[in-house]
Amino acid sequence: MGSSFPKLHVFLGAGGVGKTTLSASFALSLASSGKKVGLLSIDPAKRLQSALGVSNLSERGVLIPLGNNCRGELRAAVLQIGESLSRWVEEKGMPADKQEKLFENPYFSALAEKMASATDTLAAIRIAEWVEQYPDVEELVIDTAPGIHAIDFISKPEKIMAFLDGKLVEWLKWFVGGAQEKQSFFARALKTGARKIIEGLALVGGRSFLINFGEFLTMLDDVFITAIKRLKYSQKWLQDENTQFILISSIREDAVFVTKELGRILKYMGINPKLAIINRAFPIHLKNEIVFNEFINNENALIDSEKLLSNYLANYIMTQQKIFQELINYAEIVIEVPISASLDRENELRLSDLTSLGDVIRKEVR
């Protein structure tokens, strides 16, 4: 991994606001402009597959067919940390018998299961790995999981590094290491209090616990070292001045709350989101239509249904304008994307429609 970064775009927002659809549309727009683009979804719901109209997206990444007129390239993947962990072990060239022993170790199964539920926190490793797999990538789009916890992969990499590179890990590897290694390490361990900690762990879990866990950590040593390098790379990449954070909201109270909280956390971290999108907004051009304004302001409507609809639209527009003013405090630019029911269906979407939607976003963030 070099010192320069491809351009990174991170989409954040509450569930059900169309974040996956918008991130996919933005990636398609970038690809249509001639860029080599990566699209990684951290969302465990796997909505990205239906958004792109493909039957399956692997953890490794799949080229999306874009048609002959497209000048660029789009490769998409859905994060599966358990599969990633197994692949990282295999790629280290570990002998087959050692691999088998590691995969059979109960702590490996427990780790893979635990990591699978912590995709947000460990996504930073996978993001950095993308550049190693596809060094010609020019832009990488991240579709995060819904909610405030999606920001964990930005704020917590240092906590993972603290574990992977921590003293306790070294002590446990020493515990099952060779005699010479133990002898040289023992003096340092005594000075740091490691002996008491190891003895305490042995008392709680037994010597077999320490041996199994220590062997597990020792076998994963190369994977941990690489993970630390990737985490450091991701930290710098996320903090790079060209990295863009895009907040997605809709005309929903809970969605607005999550968007504002994400914006607040990012600003606290010294990050200023580039763009906030109010998705499924009322079409801007209709606000100024004379016929429309006459309808919503008509106090002499003939039937109750007309009054009900006009009141609903008036309140919707008023709420939308209020949200727009609130989000100005959390992003450099705020835009409204009109309702487009066809793009939110679960069936296969038209990539051309998605690309057109992405063009609107790309115009604002370039």
Side-chain angles (χ1 to χ4, degrees), residues 29-46:
S29 176
L30 288 171
S32 70
S33 72
K35 300 287 187 179
K36 291 190 175 180
V37 184
L39 173 59
L40 175 63
S41 176
I42 304 173
D43 189 346
K46 299 183 180 180

Side-chain angles (χ1 to χ4, degrees), residues 6-11 26-27 30 36-40 75 126-131 134 137-143 237 244:
K7 199 159 189 178
L8 184 64
H9 314 271
V10 182
F11 283 69
F26 180 65
L30 288 171
K36 291 190 175 180
V37 184
L39 173 59
L40 175 63
R75 189 182 300 271
R126 183 66 182 90
I127 289 171
E129 188 200 16
W130 195 283
V131 182
Y134 313 110
V137 65
E138 297 174 88
E139 317 246 0
L140 181 59
V141 180
I142 308 299
D143 169 38
W237 196 4
Q244 298 178 339

Side-chain angles (χ1 to χ4, degrees), residues 1 92 125 132 221-231:
M1 293 178 287
K92 287 301 174 185
I125 301 174
E132 300 172 22
D221 197 36
D222 286 345
V223 177
F224 282 1
I225 291 171
T226 301
I228 290 171
K229 291 179 180 178
R230 289 170 176 165
L231 284 167

Side-chain angles (χ1 to χ4, degrees), residues 167 170-172 174-175 179-192 194 198:
K167 292 296 182 185
E170 291 300 319
W171 294 336
L172 289 168
W174 161 80
F175 189 79
Q180 185 175 357
E181 182 186 353
K182 286 184 181 180
Q183 188 174 9
S184 62
F185 194 88
F186 190 65
R188 299 199 305 274
L190 286 176
K191 291 180 181 179
T192 59
I198 292 173

Side-chain angles (χ1 to χ4, degrees), residues 27-297:
L28 283 163
S29 176
L30 288 171
S32 70
S33 72
K35 300 287 187 179
K36 291 190 175 180
V37 184
L39 173 59
L40 175 63
S41 176
I42 304 173
D43 189 346
K46 299 183 180 180
R47 172 75 175 91
L48 185 60
Q49 292 182 182
S50 57
L52 291 173
V54 295
S55 58
N56 184 48
L57 285 179
S58 75
E59 175 272 339
R60 293 173 181 265
V62 174
L63 274 175
I64 306 300
L66 301 177
N68 297 330
N69 295 328
C70 184
R71 294 176 291 155
E73 175 183 290
L74 175 59
R75 189 182 300 271
V78 175
L79 183 68
Q80 298 286 347
I81 285 294
E83 293 181 21
S84 296
L85 182 59
S86 298
R87 180 167 54 77
W88 295 338
V89 170
E90 293 171 0
E91 289 176 352
K92 287 301 174 185
M94 188 182 292
D97 58 336
K98 197 173 181 180
Q99 266 191 50
E100 185 177 352
K101 186 177 181 181
L102 175 61
F103 292 153
E104 290 176 352
N105 188 298
Y107 300 107
F108 182 86
S109 300
L111 178 65
E113 184 177 345
K114 183 65 177 175
M115 291 175 80
S117 64
T119 53
D120 298 323
T121 307
L122 293 163
I125 301 174
R126 183 66 182 90
I127 289 171
E129 188 200 16
W130 195 283
V131 182
E132 300 172 22
Q133 288 179 299
Y134 313 110
D136 59 346
V137 65
E138 297 174 88
E139 317 246 0
L140 181 59
V141 180
I142 308 299
D143 169 38
T144 61
I148 295 170
H149 290 297
I151 213 164
D152 284 354
F153 87 95
I154 304 168
S155 61
K156 294 186 178 178
E158 70 279 0
K159 295 184 179 180
I160 309 170
M161 283 191 286
F163 168 74
L164 296 180
D165 203 24
K167 292 296 182 185
L168 181 57
V169 170
E170 291 300 319
W171 294 336
L172 289 168
K173 289 192 289 188
W174 161 80
F175 189 79
V176 295
Q180 185 175 357
E181 182 186 353
K182 286 184 181 180
Q183 188 174 9
S184 62
F185 194 88
F186 190 65
R188 299 199 305 274
L190 286 176
K191 291 180 181 179
T192 59
R195 180 177 180 178
K196 290 182 179 179
I197 294 177
I198 292 173
E199 287 175 351
L201 287 171
L203 184 64
V204 174
R207 181 181 175 84
S208 61
F209 162 81
L210 287 180
I211 291 175
N212 287 335
F213 192 58
E215 287 179 345
F216 159 70
L217 292 172
T218 301
M219 285 188 287
L220 277 181
D221 197 36
D222 286 345
V223 177
F224 282 1
I225 291 171
T226 301
I228 290 171
K229 291 179 180 178
R230 289 170 176 165
L231 284 167
K232 289 178 178 178
Y233 180 88
S234 287
Q235 277 189 312
K236 292 180 181 179
W237 196 4
L238 289 163
Q239 294 166 4
D240 186 74
E241 60 180 5
N242 292 317
T243 294
Q244 298 178 339
F245 294 87
I246 300 169
L247 304 175
I248 312 297
S249 185
S250 64
I251 315 297
R252 273 183 12 222
E253 185 175 339
D254 62 316
V256 176
F257 171 80
V258 170
T259 304
K260 289 162 65 176
E261 188 64 10
L262 286 166
R264 184 192 66 79
I265 295 170
L266 286 171
K267 283 184 176 290
Y268 177 78
M269 296 168 60
I271 297 171
N272 191 27
K274 177 69 176 179
L275 180 68
I277 299 174
I278 303 173
N279 195 23
R280 306 186 183 117
F282 188 82
I284 298 172
H285 67 278
L286 289 182
K287 293 179 184 178
N288 300 320
E289 291 288 338
I290 296 176
V291 174
F292 174 75
N293 280 286
E294 287 179 349
F295 173 73
I296 63 172
N297 295 313

